[in-house]
Structure formats: C-alpha cells, structure tokens
C-alpha cells in the first residue's frame, strides 16, 4: 500500500473516457473527500463541508491522532458519518473511492500533499499560502495542467460577491487611474516563548509532521500553530494572512507575474522569542506603472484608518475603495458594494463535477501568483541586513514607485516608537532589492535569491520535478 503517493511516474493528461474516479463524479453521486490537516483551518473545512449535502468526508488525516479524532467527532456531532482517522495521508490517497482532497496542513506540506493527491487521481483544494516556496507553487500549477486536475486555492475572497462588484468597478476604470494598492494586516500577536525545548505530544508522529522539513525538534514551547513563525515550516504573517489581501490587490490592479522588483524592511521587534519571521514588515512591489505595498504589524496598533481597519485599499484619481466600500477623494463613504456570494468550497465541488477549471473562482494559478508575492517579500528580508532609518530612506528614494512609499516608512517608524521600540538598539532589517527576470519566476543576477526559490527536501518527502524525479 501507499504505492500511489510514492509513485514518481511522469504526469499524463486524463482521457475523457476514463472511469468516473479518474475523470469526474456523476451528477447523482456524492463527492467523497479527505481532509488533510486538522488544525484551526481543517476544522473550518470540516464545518463548511458538513453543510454541503453532495459531499461525504471519508477521511480526516493528521500526524496528531488526537486532532484527527477531534475533527471526526465534530463531523459526527454535526450529524454526518464518522470518517476514518489516519495519521498518514497516503492511506487516504490509496483509496480509489476518494475523489477530492482538501489540504489544510502546515505550509511546508501544501505542495507535496497537493501533488501526491493529484498523481493519485484526486482533485485538490489547497489552503493559502498554496506553497512554501515559489518553485513549489509553480509545480502545483504544472501538475494540475498536465494531469487535467481541478485545483482551487484557499483565497476565498474570490467568491465574495460584493468584492467581485468592487473589483469590476476598479477594472472598468470607474475609480479613475489606479497606481497604488495596499495590503494591510494589523493584529497584535504576543511572544511565542523560547527558545527552549519543544515537547512533542505523544499523539504526534513527528516524522510525518515534519515531512519535507528537517527532522529537528522545534525550539518553541508549542508545536502546533506556532510553526507559522519558523522558516522551515511557515511563511510568517505575510504568508499567513497578508496573502488574502495581496491576492485582492493583484486582482483589482490586473497585474500578473512577479513584477519588476520587490523590497522588504522590518524585523521581529518588541520581544525576543523562538520566532524567526518578522512581526513588523513592509514590502514594496514594483509592477511598473503600478505599486503594491504590503503592511504587516504584529505589535499593538491603531486601525489603519477609522473607516478601514485592515484589508485592501485601491487609490484612484476619482476616489478610494477600501474593503467593500467606495470613498470619495476626501474620505467620505459614497456607497457599499453589493453582490451575491458563493460558498468557496461549493464552488470547488461544482468545478469537480463540471471538469471545467474555468468554473473555479480561485484557480491555482491565481493562488500561486499571490503566494509568490509573499515569498518575494520573505526572500528579500532573509537576504537583508540591519540598517539605519536613513539608509532605508535612501534605498526607498531610489525606487521608481509610488510617492506614498516613503510615507509608509514614516508611519511605520512612529508605530514602532509608540511600542517603545528603539531602532538603535534593535534596528530594522533592510532586505535585498530583488530584481525580477521579466516573464520568469527567477531573479536577475542574484544567485543567493535564486537559491531560495526552492529548498532541500527530506526523503522520501520530496516535491517531484516535472519529469517525475
């Protein structure tokens, strides 16, 4: 057993005449699902799917058997059949009765679980961020296309009806020329403690939990969730929550690819702990005549604006769209957009039945490109060095981007001062200015940055190349 997931066969296109389990689900049949990852998001998957009468959850998978049992009990309490609980997702992938796999595992498992599932003949819904590195995301896209699989990203804002109306308003030019969009995530998070020895719960198969990552016991007190703040397993707040609003910014501006350049500044400030990722980070993305600025604050802060606490903002010549509302140039609310929303999980299942990727609200290519922006910001940060405010200002002044980029830095300095952060004692990290190779997902003359497009995998948990190796 487990042979299907380990198989390294080259991908092939599906024939429309192949049996139901390889090519689709009959209209009168329920879709059989497996959920991979039973943490906060996995529980939400179970709750949403339990509401859909045309879907049956056959498996819940998690290296922590207690968490899998908890989700199974949650489904039983909701009046749904109790699913099988397994620690190794490959047991579910080997079951030909399973049609779809919902990946809600930690980030370092997203790409491998998705690709294993597609190679086992399943369609896949993969949570945000869809990958742990840029090249992984591209590999998911390639596999979905080669195998004819339906693959949806977990950027559920794409199924929000009022937001669709707002985006249509921007794309139709009704906001005037839009040259700047902001992705704003403000939310205080305290120290995760450590560094100290992490006690692995007895219910956890740590070899499976680590999977593609190094088999090194974490240095934080808590195994679950705080993996977000370690480079081996997570992507910081940028990949955790900012990916949602970055996706909306890309959608509204109509930009594709990785742009011309990216630059990060920030740090893990206000406390010392086992976390590695920044809790304060600004990333500037240069898309030529358009600029996207991502702002992340993990220390105590006031809302971005009274009318817009966080999320996405588009600045046009005729006004501003913040969240789901339109404001005039003076900041007065003009209207709130309306529209019919669709359940993001139901949208995926609809496409599974139709076999039309065009039915997806968030096809994997969109999730990959938005996730890749998060990775760009983190690559810039990881290749950076501490710098004075004056050095950061000079670098920002050298960018050919929107004039508000400098103002963002001034607000960030004030925010840190309000939190008693002394930038002389704990200076910010000024990231590398990453220049993007046009039309490619790589960098110009930067071998250090290219090396961070992927990572070394721990056998046998290896994300396969396109040739199956």
């Amino acid at each position: 057993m487990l042979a299907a997931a380990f198989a390294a066969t080259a991908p092939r296109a599906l024939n429309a005449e192949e049996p139901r389990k390889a090519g689709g689900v009959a209209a009168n049949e329920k879709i059989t699902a497996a959920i991979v990852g039973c943490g906060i998001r996995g529980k939400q998957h179970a709750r949403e799917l339990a509401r859909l009468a045309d879907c049956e959850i056959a498996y819940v998978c998690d290296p922590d058997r207690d968490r899998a049992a908890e989700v199974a009990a949650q489904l039983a309490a909701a009046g749904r059949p109790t699913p099988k609980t397994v620690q190794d997702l490959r047991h579910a992938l080997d079951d030909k009765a399973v049609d779809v796999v919902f990946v809600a595992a930690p980030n370092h498992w997203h790409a491998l679980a998705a690709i294993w599932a597609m190679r086992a003949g399943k369609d896949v819904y993969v949570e945000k961020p869809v990958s742990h590195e840029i090249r992984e995301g591209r590999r998911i896209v390639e596999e979905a296309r080669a195998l004819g699989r339906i693959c949806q990203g977990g950027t559920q804002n794409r199924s929000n009806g009022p937001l669709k109306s707002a985006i249509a308003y921007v794309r139709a030019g009704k906001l005037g020329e839009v040259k700047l969009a902001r992705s704003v995530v403000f939310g205080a998070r305290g120290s995760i403690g450590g560094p100290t020895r992490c006690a692995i719960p007895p219910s956890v198969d740590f070899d499976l939990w680590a999977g593609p990552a190094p088999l090194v016991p974490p240095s934080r007190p808590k195994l679950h969730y705080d993996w977000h703040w370690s480079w081996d397993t997570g992507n910081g707040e940028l990949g955790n929550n900012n990916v949602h609003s970055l996706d909306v910014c890309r959608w509204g501006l109509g930009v594709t690819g990785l742009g011309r350049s990216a630059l990060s500044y920030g740090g893990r400030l206000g406390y010392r702990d086992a976390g590695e990722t920044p809790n304060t980070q600004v990333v500037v993305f240069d898309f030529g005549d358009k600029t996207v600025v991502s702002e992340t604050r993990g220390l105590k802060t006031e809302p971005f604006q009274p009318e817009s606490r966080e999320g996405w903002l588009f600045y046009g010549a005729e006004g501003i769209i913040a969240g789901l509302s339109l404001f005039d140039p003076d900041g007065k609310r003009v209207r709130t957009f309306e529209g019919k929303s669709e359940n993001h999980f139901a949208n995926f299942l609809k496409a599974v039945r139709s076999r039309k990727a065009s039915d997806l609200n968030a096809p994997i290519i969109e999730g990959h490109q938005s996730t890749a922006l998060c990775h760009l910001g983190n690559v810039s940060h990881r290749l950076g060095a501490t710098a004075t405010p004056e050095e950061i200002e000079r670098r920002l002044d050298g960018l050919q981007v929107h004039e508000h980029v400098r103002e963002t830095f001034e607000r960030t300095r004030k925010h840190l001062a309000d939190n008693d952060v002394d930038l002389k004692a704990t200076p910010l990290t000024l990231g590398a200015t990453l220049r993007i190779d046009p039309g490619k997902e790589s960098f110009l003359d930067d071998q250090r940055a290219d090396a961070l497009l992927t990572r070394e995998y721990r056998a046998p948990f290896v994300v396969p190349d396109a040739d199956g190796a």
Side-chain angles (χ1 to χ4, degrees), residues 154-421:
T155 46
Q156 63 267 25
N157 286 313
R158 296 253 177 177
S159 292
N160 183 307
L163 178 56
K164 285 184 178 181
S165 299
I167 295 298
Y169 189 94
V170 176
R171 299 288 289 268
K174 295 180 180 179
L175 200 62
E177 188 175 20
V178 180
K179 293 188 175 182
L180 173 67
R182 291 188 187 274
S183 167
V184 179
V185 173
F186 290 177
R189 291 188 184 274
S191 166
I192 65 171
T196 188
R197 182 182 178 187
C198 175
I200 307 300
S203 57
V204 174
D205 182 327
F206 187 64
D207 181 67
L208 283 175
W209 187 92
L215 193 64
V216 177
S219 61
R220 58 184 181 271
K222 186 174 67 173
L223 177 66
H224 296 310
Y225 196 80
D226 287 341
W227 53 261
H228 277 293
W229 327 123
S230 168
W231 293 124
D232 282 343
T233 51
N235 304 97
E237 196 68 272
L238 188 58
N240 184 36
N241 276 315
N242 238 308
V243 62
H244 285 298
S245 41
L246 275 173
D247 184 61
V248 175
C249 289
R250 266 202 338 102
W251 187 16
L253 293 180
V255 294
T256 59
L258 304 187
R260 298 195 309 185
S261 72
L263 173 66
S264 166
Y265 60 84
R268 195 165 187 87
L269 306 166
Y271 47 75
R272 295 182 183 274
D273 63 3
E276 298 173 327
T277 63
N279 63 10
T280 302
Q281 187 175 19
V282 174
V283 188
V284 181
F285 302 96
D286 176 5
F287 282 93
D289 62 340
K290 298 178 175 64
T291 301
V292 176
V293 178
S294 167
E295 296 187 53
T296 303
R297 292 184 182 180
L299 300 176
K300 184 179 178 181
T301 185
E302 295 296 319
F304 181 79
Q305 292 175 347
E307 295 280 1
S308 177
R309 301 183 66 85
E310 62 177 10
W312 51 85
L313 300 96
F314 297 94
Y315 297 84
E318 304 299 325
I320 300 168
I321 286 179
L324 303 177
S325 295
L326 171 67
F327 299 85
D328 67 20
D330 295 323
K332 181 180 179 180
R333 190 189 301 269
V334 176
R335 59 176 284 202
T336 297
F337 292 95
E338 298 178 347
K340 184 177 181 181
S341 296
E342 184 177 10
N343 182 293
H344 201 56
F345 295 88
N347 171 252
F348 169 65
L349 298 181
K350 178 178 71 175
V352 168
R353 291 187 183 279
S354 72
R355 309 311 303 161
K356 295 179 182 178
S358 58
D359 283 342
L360 293 170
N361 288 336
I364 190 60
I365 182 61
E366 300 296 344
H368 162 57
Q369 292 192 38
S370 297
T371 294
L373 296 188
C374 302
H375 296 328
L376 283 183
N378 285 333
V379 168
S380 172
H381 175 82
R382 295 179 71 178
L383 295 178
T386 57
T388 65
E390 293 72 27
E391 289 171 325
I392 295 174
E393 288 173 344
R394 286 195 293 270
R395 183 83 68 83
L396 293 174
D397 287 343
L399 300 177
Q400 297 179 346
V401 292
H402 198 276
E403 59 186 358
H404 285 182
V405 165
R406 178 67 177 272
E407 174 267 339
T408 303
F409 179 59
E410 294 168 359
R411 284 192 295 101
T412 300
R413 288 183 68 180
K414 181 181 184 304
H415 159 65
L416 293 173
D418 289 344
N419 279 277
D420 299 321
V421 174

Side-chain angles (χ1 to χ4, degrees), residues 5-27:
F6 271 133
T9 54
R12 60 186 179 85
L14 289 170
N15 187 306
E17 300 302 319
E18 290 188 23
R20 172 183 72 84
K21 291 300 179 185
V25 180

